[in-house]
Amino acid sequence: MAEVDKNNELPEEELNLEDVDIELEDDANALGEALDQMNAKAKETEKFYANVADDLDERALGRLSSQLLEDYKKDKVSRGDWEQAYTQGLELLGFKYQDMTRPFQGASGVTHPLLAEAVTQFQSQAYKELLPSDGPVRTQIVGASTQQVEEQAQRVQDFMNYM
């Protein structure tokens, strides 16, 4: 075995490239096969992400678009009450987004967020009481307390908090 210098390199006179067997044909074939597999995978991926609408006929596209528009309109109508309640809630909290025209077009309209802040403070304080870490349900025994009744109360409490 040849000695290695400080740079981890063999001295030039000891390198003999004739002793190294390299089979380029096998490596080239393996590389070619790998490239073919990669190209096939890329074609499959392109096919997967292809636009389906290009393959459908016009009547099928028409029926599909009509159904989608009909479903959209039904959804819009069905959530009308929710949208109205949401908008009214924002107005009650003092959030009224308006395009101001006075004293000039695009002027800023300042609102005071006192009610929104109060609601946020209440929610953050009530959260601990409404959803404690050991569950919101507590049991209380009314009447005579026995070991069996206490165990039953604990089972009911555990089950209700699980649910």
Side-chain angles (χ1 to χ4, degrees), residues 98-109:
Q98 303 170 356
D99 289 333
M100 302 297 287
T101 56
R102 286 188 173 185
F104 55 87
Q105 184 69 28
S108 174

Side-chain angles (χ1 to χ4, degrees), residues 138-152:
R138 304 280 184 272
T139 54
Q140 182 178 357
I141 299 172
V142 178
S145 177
T146 65
Q147 180 69 22
Q148 185 178 9
V149 172
E150 289 177 9
E151 289 174 358
Q152 181 181 8

Side-chain angles (χ1 to χ4, degrees), residues 4 42 51 62 83 95 103 109 121 143 150:
V4 178
N51 187 356
E83 286 178 347
F95 298 113
Q121 289 290 328
E150 289 177 9

Side-chain angles (χ1 to χ4, degrees), residues 48-76:
F48 179 80
Y49 288 107
N51 187 356
V52 177
D54 292 339
D55 298 333
L56 295 175
D57 70 12
E58 294 298 321
R59 289 181 299 187
L61 287 174
R63 286 192 306 267
L64 186 60
S65 65
S66 296
Q67 183 66 40
L68 286 173
L69 285 172
E70 185 180 326
D71 290 344
Y72 170 75
K73 289 176 184 175
K74 285 181 184 177
D75 185 46
K76 188 103 169 126

